[in-house]
Amino acid sequence: MIETIAQIGCIESGGKYREAIDQFIENPGYPHCIHILLQRGSDGAFAWKGCEVEEQKSDFRKYLFRSGSSRGVNYSPTAKITTVENTYQQKVLGWFKKMCKVNRNDFFRGIQKVLEKEKDRILQELQSKLALSSERTILSLKVDGSYLYDIPEFRDAFLFLINEKDLELSASNQVCSICGQRKDTVIGKMSVFRFYTLDKPGFITGGLDEEKAWRNYPVCLSCKSYIEEGRRFIEENLRFQFYGFSYLLIPKPIVPVAEDDGFAEVLEYLSSHKKGVRIHQKQIESFMTTEEDVMDMLKDMKNVVSIQLLFLQKIQSAERILLLIEDVLPSRISELFKAKSYVEQHLYAEGNHSFHFGFIRTFFHNSYDKYFLHIIESVFKKRSLSISFLAKFIMEQLRKELPAYQSGEPSFFYKTRQAIAIIVFLEQAGVLPVKGGTAMSEKFGALFEKYGKQLDTPEKKAVFLLGSLTQMLLDIQQNKYGSKPFLKQLMGLKMDERAVKGLLPKVINKLEEYESYHFIHKQLAEEISTLFLFSSSRWKMSVDELNFYFACGMNLVSKVRESLMAKEEA
């Protein structure tokens, strides 16, 4: 992953051979610059030669500007002027004082000496120069007519301050793990990503000697700059929000970058279309979220890139990897969109519901983050999940909604339909294994093929159809009395095998009592009884799984009724 981020940084920074220092220089964006002019004499001493104003043009690198903390120094003595005295004292003199502490360099000591000696005169001239213009201005230095960028001492100091923390753990004349070249300096502790730490003995190679920990992952300063640029690009263009999480989408070329310039086009395509997604969100299919769906762009790509999804959690200044999904091909994303389309076509034919991972999040809320991410990883990597695992969390939510169903609230219906959509999606995506049971029912063969691939035994089919028959009774009660008193017989959807088997005669008795035991009800009851007769002597279902099938039958009662009516007409 880190190598891929370095490749992205290399492309975005303009090519492999761009100097490492250029990655860190910022454009101050101010139209003018005042230079403090210094000249070095033959004896090595510096003299102040005045100040000059110049208009800042396109080549901002020469100022060697990069902002630091608001109360501290920058990475060079170039600074944006707020007030002349504060900027001079804090950003210019402060920078030389810091460098003289960490590096006993006569060059910087000499400049610091003349700047302190001529402070009053320099400030006076700076004030007079600034008074001639109302434009925003930066303050910098020239030494012997040279800009800071062209002076090796300032360039070295600039890079030193950039890499100050990283250089605490380094080695000389070693091979970089990114570019594979032997470099003067490699570091072993990058600050670009904060999930890599050396504060635990198990993270340290070299006999648990922290001074040798650079061997874990040696990176040269040039590659470190590419990694930093790659992270910046990904953060700005390929960070997405995802149901309470934040993830980075990291495209990875399948062919080495040197052999395929198309990777740069992929990066351009992804970064330019992120903004377009917000504007034209109605024109794309929603999948990962309902707002920003880069997956829709990726599904039609050829397998020239793979996708990595990095879910990160920021804890103060540290970072923690929650999940890393690697090597997802566009062909796999295309498969998931086909599964999504299947769900929408068969369960939401009216076209006003779009399936997305928010359905899954409904049942795996914040308390179950770990399980939610496990499901997402399984979906992308095509790893098997079990229905018994899913049913536990689904039924937890459905049981909460059941009491409100008594008073006519539709949330139980909607959430049950979402749960069915999840199961069908996972089946179509190849994540939920379909065992395939004995085809015993001609009446409902097509129905079970569409929605009931998990109903692989007679008892599961019977429970599903009993749920539909029960719902027919509840509908009759609602129409006649405005309530559903029979719901109490469902035991809060915590029925076991015995309770379910005893429910069928109770439903039939109630239908007869209401003089509503019609032909389709008799057909359905007959089918349920037959399936019970062929069921196993001991049902291999958890209580959650059993009640889930029952709730599915309640929800799909209209589909069951259609199957009965179609058979009757035939």
Coordinates of all heavy atoms in Angstrom, one line a residue, residues 294-349:
V294 N -18.1 6.9 -5.8 CA -17.0 6.7 -6.7 C -17.0 5.2 -7.3 O -16.5 5.0 -8.4 CB -15.6 7.0 -6.1 CG1 -15.2 5.9 -5.1 CG2 -14.6 7.2 -7.1
M295 N -17.7 4.3 -6.6 CA -17.8 2.9 -7.0 C -18.5 2.9 -8.4 O -18.1 2.0 -9.2 CB -18.5 2.1 -6.0 CG -17.8 1.9 -4.7 SD -16.2 1.0 -5.0 CE -15.4 1.4 -3.4
D296 N -19.4 3.7 -8.6 CA -20.1 3.7 -9.9 C -19.2 4.0 -11.0 O -19.4 3.5 -12.2 CB -21.3 4.7 -9.8 CG -22.1 4.7 -11.1 OD1 -22.8 3.6 -11.3 OD2 -22.1 5.6 -11.9
M297 N -18.2 4.8 -10.8 CA -17.2 5.1 -11.8 C -16.3 4.0 -12.1 O -15.8 3.8 -13.2 CB -16.4 6.4 -11.4 CG -17.2 7.6 -11.1 SD -16.0 8.9 -10.5 CE -17.0 9.7 -9.3
L298 N -16.0 3.2 -11.1 CA -15.0 2.2 -11.2 C -15.5 0.9 -11.8 O -14.8 0.1 -12.4 CB -14.4 1.8 -9.8 CG -13.6 2.9 -9.1 CD1 -13.4 2.6 -7.6 CD2 -12.3 3.1 -9.8
K299 N -16.8 0.6 -11.7 CA -17.4 -0.7 -12.1 C -17.2 -1.0 -13.6 O -17.1 -2.2 -13.9 CB -18.8 -0.8 -11.7 CG -19.8 0.1 -12.5 CD -21.2 -0.1 -12.0 CE -22.2 0.9 -12.6 NZ -22.3 0.9 -14.0
D300 N -17.1 0.0 -14.4 CA -17.0 -0.2 -15.8 C -15.5 -0.2 -16.3 O -15.3 -0.3 -17.5 CB -17.8 0.8 -16.6 CG -19.3 0.7 -16.3 OD1 -19.7 -0.5 -16.2 OD2 -20.0 1.7 -16.2
M301 N -14.6 0.1 -15.4 CA -13.2 0.1 -15.8 C -12.7 -1.3 -16.1 O -13.2 -2.3 -15.5 CB -12.3 0.7 -14.7 CG -12.3 2.2 -14.6 SD -11.1 2.7 -13.4 CE -11.3 4.5 -13.5
K302 N -11.7 -1.4 -17.0 CA -11.1 -2.7 -17.2 C -10.2 -3.0 -16.0 O -9.9 -2.1 -15.2 CB -10.3 -2.7 -18.5 CG -11.1 -2.5 -19.7 CD -10.2 -2.5 -21.0 CE -11.1 -2.3 -22.2 NZ -10.3 -2.2 -23.4
N303 N -9.8 -4.3 -15.8 CA -9.0 -4.6 -14.7 C -7.5 -4.2 -14.9 O -6.6 -5.0 -14.9 CB -9.1 -6.1 -14.5 CG -10.4 -6.6 -13.9 OD1 -11.1 -5.7 -13.4 ND2 -10.7 -7.8 -14.0
V304 N -7.3 -2.9 -15.1 CA -6.0 -2.3 -15.2 C -5.5 -1.8 -13.8 O -4.4 -1.5 -13.6 CB -5.9 -1.2 -16.2 CG1 -6.1 -1.8 -17.6 CG2 -6.8 -0.1 -16.0
V305 N -6.5 -1.6 -12.9 CA -6.2 -1.1 -11.6 C -7.0 -2.0 -10.6 O -8.0 -2.6 -10.9 CB -6.6 0.3 -11.3 CG1 -5.7 1.3 -12.2 CG2 -8.1 0.6 -11.6
S306 N -6.4 -2.1 -9.4 CA -7.2 -2.7 -8.3 C -7.4 -1.6 -7.3 O -6.7 -0.6 -7.3 CB -6.5 -3.9 -7.7 OG -5.3 -3.5 -7.1
I307 N -8.4 -1.8 -6.4 CA -8.7 -0.8 -5.4 C -8.4 -1.3 -4.0 O -8.6 -2.4 -3.7 CB -10.2 -0.5 -5.5 CG1 -10.6 0.0 -6.9 CG2 -10.6 0.6 -4.5 CD1 -9.9 1.2 -7.4
Q308 N -7.9 -0.4 -3.2 CA -7.6 -0.6 -1.8 C -8.5 0.4 -1.0 O -8.5 1.6 -1.3 CB -6.2 -0.5 -1.5 CG -5.3 -1.4 -2.3 CD -3.8 -1.2 -2.0 OE1 -3.2 -1.7 -1.1 NE2 -3.2 -0.3 -2.9
L309 N -9.2 -0.1 0.0 CA -10.0 0.7 0.8 C -9.4 0.7 2.2 O -9.3 -0.3 2.9 CB -11.4 0.2 0.9 CG -12.2 0.1 -0.5 CD1 -13.5 -0.5 -0.3 CD2 -12.3 1.4 -1.2
L310 N -8.9 1.9 2.7 CA -8.3 2.0 4.0 C -9.2 2.8 4.9 O -9.4 4.0 4.7 CB -6.9 2.7 3.8 CG -6.2 3.0 5.1 CD1 -5.8 1.7 5.8 CD2 -4.9 3.8 4.8
F311 N -9.8 2.1 5.9 CA -10.6 2.7 6.9 C -9.7 3.1 8.1 O -9.1 2.2 8.7 CB -11.7 1.8 7.4 CG -12.7 1.5 6.3 CD1 -12.5 0.6 5.3 CD2 -14.0 2.2 6.4 CE1 -13.5 0.4 4.3 CE2 -15.0 1.9 5.5 CZ -14.7 1.0 4.4
L312 N -9.6 4.4 8.3 CA -8.8 4.9 9.4 C -9.6 5.6 10.5 O -10.6 6.2 10.2 CB -7.8 6.0 8.8 CG -6.6 5.5 8.1 CD1 -5.8 6.7 7.6 CD2 -5.7 4.6 8.9
Q313 N -9.1 5.5 11.7 CA -9.7 6.2 12.8 C -8.7 7.1 13.4 O -7.6 6.6 13.8 CB -10.3 5.2 13.9 CG -10.9 5.9 15.1 CD -11.3 4.9 16.1 OE1 -10.6 3.9 16.4 NE2 -12.5 5.1 16.7
K314 N -9.0 8.4 13.6 CA -8.1 9.3 14.2 C -8.4 9.4 15.7 O -9.5 9.7 16.0 CB -8.1 10.7 13.5 CG -7.6 10.7 12.1 CD -7.4 12.1 11.5 CE -6.8 12.0 10.1 NZ -6.6 13.4 9.6
I315 N -7.4 9.2 16.5 CA -7.5 9.4 17.9 C -6.4 10.4 18.3 O -5.3 10.1 18.5 CB -7.3 8.0 18.6 CG1 -8.2 7.0 18.1 CG2 -7.5 8.2 20.1 CD1 -7.9 5.6 18.6
Q316 N -6.9 11.6 18.5 CA -6.0 12.8 18.8 C -5.0 12.8 17.7 O -5.3 13.0 16.5 CB -5.4 12.6 20.2 CG -6.4 12.7 21.3 CD -5.8 12.5 22.7 OE1 -4.7 12.0 22.9 NE2 -6.6 12.8 23.7
S317 N -3.7 12.7 18.0 CA -2.7 12.8 16.9 C -2.3 11.5 16.3 O -1.5 11.4 15.3 CB -1.4 13.5 17.5 OG -0.8 12.7 18.5
A318 N -2.9 10.4 16.8 CA -2.5 9.1 16.3 C -3.6 8.6 15.3 O -4.7 9.2 15.2 CB -2.4 8.1 17.5
E319 N -3.3 7.6 14.6 CA -4.2 7.0 13.6 C -4.2 5.5 13.9 O -3.2 4.8 14.2 CB -3.8 7.2 12.2 CG -3.9 8.7 11.8 CD -3.4 8.9 10.3 OE1 -2.4 8.3 10.0 OE2 -4.0 9.7 9.6
R320 N -5.4 4.9 13.6 CA -5.6 3.4 13.8 C -6.2 2.9 12.6 O -7.3 3.4 12.1 CB -6.4 3.2 15.1 CG -6.7 1.7 15.3 CD -7.7 1.6 16.5 NE -8.2 0.3 16.6 CZ -9.4 -0.1 17.1 NH1 -10.2 0.9 17.5 NH2 -9.8 -1.3 17.1
I321 N -5.7 1.8 12.1 CA -6.3 1.1 10.9 C -7.4 0.3 11.4 O -7.2 -0.7 12.2 CB -5.3 0.3 10.2 CG1 -4.2 1.1 9.6 CG2 -6.0 -0.5 9.0 CD1 -3.1 0.4 8.8
L322 N -8.7 0.6 11.0 CA -9.8 -0.2 11.4 C -10.0 -1.4 10.4 O -10.3 -2.5 10.8 CB -11.1 0.6 11.4 CG -11.2 1.8 12.4 CD1 -12.4 2.6 12.2 CD2 -11.1 1.2 13.8
L323 N -9.7 -1.1 9.1 CA -9.8 -2.1 8.1 C -9.1 -1.7 6.9 O -9.1 -0.6 6.5 CB -11.3 -2.3 7.8 CG -11.7 -3.3 6.6 CD1 -11.3 -4.7 7.0 CD2 -13.2 -3.2 6.3
L324 N -8.4 -2.7 6.3 CA -7.7 -2.5 5.0 C -8.2 -3.6 4.0 O -7.9 -4.8 4.3 CB -6.2 -2.5 5.1 CG -5.4 -2.5 3.8 CD1 -5.7 -1.2 3.0 CD2 -3.9 -2.6 4.0
I325 N -8.9 -3.2 3.0 CA -9.4 -4.1 2.0 C -8.5 -4.0 0.8 O -8.5 -2.9 0.2 CB -10.9 -3.9 1.6 CG1 -11.8 -3.9 2.9 CG2 -11.4 -4.9 0.6 CD1 -13.2 -3.6 2.7
E326 N -7.8 -5.0 0.4 CA -6.8 -4.8 -0.7 C -7.3 -5.6 -1.9 O -8.0 -6.6 -1.9 CB -5.5 -5.4 -0.2 CG -4.8 -4.6 0.9 CD -3.4 -5.1 1.3 OE1 -3.3 -6.2 1.9 OE2 -2.5 -4.5 0.9
D327 N -6.8 -5.1 -3.1 CA -6.9 -5.8 -4.4 C -8.3 -6.1 -4.8 O -8.6 -7.3 -5.1 CB -6.0 -7.1 -4.3 CG -4.5 -6.8 -4.1 OD1 -4.1 -5.7 -4.6 OD2 -3.9 -7.6 -3.4
V328 N -9.2 -5.1 -4.7 CA -10.5 -5.3 -5.3 C -10.5 -4.8 -6.7 O -10.2 -3.7 -7.0 CB -11.5 -4.4 -4.5 CG1 -12.9 -4.6 -5.0 CG2 -11.5 -4.7 -3.0
L329 N -10.9 -5.7 -7.6 CA -10.9 -5.4 -9.0 C -12.2 -4.8 -9.5 O -13.2 -5.0 -8.9 CB -10.6 -6.7 -9.8 CG -9.3 -7.4 -9.7 CD1 -9.3 -8.8 -10.4 CD2 -8.2 -6.5 -10.2
P330 N -12.1 -3.9 -10.5 CA -13.3 -3.4 -11.1 C -14.4 -4.4 -11.5 O -15.6 -4.2 -11.4 CB -12.9 -2.6 -12.3 CG -11.5 -2.2 -12.0 CD -10.9 -3.3 -11.2
S331 N -13.9 -5.6 -11.9 CA -14.8 -6.7 -12.3 C -15.7 -7.1 -11.1 O -16.8 -7.5 -11.2 CB -14.1 -7.9 -12.9 OG -13.1 -8.4 -12.0
R332 N -15.0 -7.1 -9.9 CA -15.8 -7.5 -8.6 C -16.8 -6.4 -8.3 O -17.9 -6.7 -7.9 CB -14.8 -7.6 -7.5 CG -15.5 -7.9 -6.1 CD -16.4 -9.1 -6.2 NE -17.0 -9.4 -4.9 CZ -18.1 -10.2 -4.8 NH1 -18.6 -10.8 -5.8 NH2 -18.6 -10.4 -3.6
I333 N -16.4 -5.1 -8.5 CA -17.4 -4.0 -8.2 C -18.5 -4.1 -9.2 O -19.7 -3.9 -8.8 CB -16.7 -2.7 -8.4 CG1 -15.6 -2.6 -7.3 CG2 -17.6 -1.5 -8.2 CD1 -14.7 -1.4 -7.5
S334 N -18.3 -4.5 -10.4 CA -19.4 -4.7 -11.4 C -20.3 -5.8 -11.0 O -21.5 -5.7 -11.1 CB -18.7 -5.1 -12.8 OG -19.7 -5.2 -13.7
E335 N -19.8 -6.9 -10.4 CA -20.6 -8.0 -9.9 C -21.5 -7.5 -8.8 O -22.7 -7.9 -8.7 CB -19.7 -9.1 -9.3 CG -19.0 -9.9 -10.4 CD -18.0 -10.9 -9.8 OE1 -17.9 -11.0 -8.5 OE2 -17.3 -11.6 -10.5
L336 N -21.0 -6.6 -7.9 CA -21.8 -6.1 -6.8 C -22.9 -5.2 -7.3 O -24.0 -5.2 -6.7 CB -20.9 -5.3 -5.8 CG -19.8 -6.1 -5.1 CD1 -19.0 -5.3 -4.2 CD2 -20.4 -7.4 -4.4
F337 N -22.6 -4.5 -8.4 CA -23.7 -3.6 -8.9 C -24.8 -4.5 -9.6 O -26.0 -4.1 -9.6 CB -23.1 -2.6 -9.9 CG -22.7 -1.3 -9.3 CD1 -21.4 -1.1 -8.9 CD2 -23.7 -0.3 -9.1 CE1 -21.1 0.1 -8.3 CE2 -23.3 0.9 -8.5 CZ -22.0 1.1 -8.1
K338 N -24.4 -5.6 -10.2 CA -25.4 -6.5 -10.7 C -26.3 -7.1 -9.6 O -27.5 -7.2 -9.8 CB -24.7 -7.7 -11.5 CG -24.1 -7.2 -12.8 CD -23.4 -8.3 -13.5 CE -22.7 -7.8 -14.8 NZ -21.9 -8.9 -15.4
A339 N -25.7 -7.4 -8.5 CA -26.4 -7.9 -7.3 C -27.4 -6.9 -6.8 O -28.5 -7.1 -6.4 CB -25.5 -8.4 -6.2
K340 N -26.9 -5.7 -6.7 CA -27.7 -4.5 -6.3 C -28.9 -4.3 -7.2 O -30.0 -4.2 -6.8 CB -26.8 -3.3 -6.3 CG -27.5 -1.9 -6.3 CD -26.5 -0.8 -6.5 CE -27.2 0.5 -7.0 NZ -28.1 1.1 -6.1
S341 N -28.7 -4.4 -8.5 CA -29.8 -4.3 -9.5 C -30.8 -5.4 -9.3 O -32.0 -5.1 -9.5 CB -29.2 -4.3 -10.9 OG -28.4 -3.2 -11.1
Y342 N -30.3 -6.6 -9.1 CA -31.3 -7.7 -8.9 C -32.2 -7.5 -7.7 O -33.4 -7.7 -7.8 CB -30.4 -9.0 -8.7 CG -31.3 -10.3 -8.5 CD1 -31.6 -11.0 -9.6 CD2 -31.8 -10.6 -7.3 CE1 -32.4 -12.2 -9.5 CE2 -32.6 -11.8 -7.1 CZ -32.9 -12.5 -8.2 OH -33.6 -13.7 -8.1
V343 N -31.6 -7.0 -6.6 CA -32.4 -6.7 -5.4 C -33.5 -5.6 -5.7 O -34.6 -5.8 -5.3 CB -31.5 -6.2 -4.3 CG1 -32.3 -5.7 -3.1 CG2 -30.6 -7.3 -3.8
E344 N -33.0 -4.6 -6.3 CA -34.0 -3.5 -6.6 C -35.1 -3.9 -7.6 O -36.2 -3.5 -7.4 CB -33.2 -2.3 -7.2 CG -32.3 -1.7 -6.2 CD -31.2 -0.7 -6.8 OE1 -31.2 -0.6 -8.0 OE2 -30.5 0.0 -6.0
Q345 N -34.7 -4.8 -8.5 CA -35.7 -5.2 -9.5 C -36.8 -6.1 -8.8 O -38.0 -6.0 -9.2 CB -35.0 -5.9 -10.6 CG -36.0 -6.5 -11.7 CD -35.2 -7.3 -12.8 OE1 -34.0 -7.3 -12.8 NE2 -36.0 -8.0 -13.6
H346 N -36.4 -7.0 -7.9 CA -37.3 -8.0 -7.4 C -37.9 -7.6 -6.1 O -39.0 -8.1 -5.7 CB -36.5 -9.3 -7.2 CG -36.2 -10.0 -8.5 ND1 -35.0 -9.7 -9.1 CD2 -36.9 -10.9 -9.2 CE1 -35.0 -10.5 -10.2 NE2 -36.1 -11.2 -10.3
L347 N -37.3 -6.6 -5.3 CA -37.9 -6.3 -4.0 C -38.4 -4.8 -4.0 O -39.2 -4.5 -3.1 CB -36.9 -6.4 -2.9 CG -36.6 -7.9 -2.6 CD1 -35.4 -8.0 -1.6 CD2 -37.8 -8.5 -1.9
Y348 N -37.9 -4.0 -4.9 CA -38.4 -2.6 -4.9 C -38.7 -2.2 -6.4 O -38.1 -1.3 -6.9 CB -37.3 -1.7 -4.4 CG -37.0 -2.0 -2.9 CD1 -35.8 -2.7 -2.6 CD2 -37.8 -1.5 -1.9 CE1 -35.5 -2.9 -1.2 CE2 -37.5 -1.8 -0.6 CZ -36.4 -2.5 -0.3 OH -36.1 -2.7 1.1
A349 N -39.7 -2.9 -6.9 CA -40.0 -2.7 -8.4 C -40.6 -1.4 -8.6 O -40.5 -0.9 -9.8 CB -41.0 -3.8 -8.8

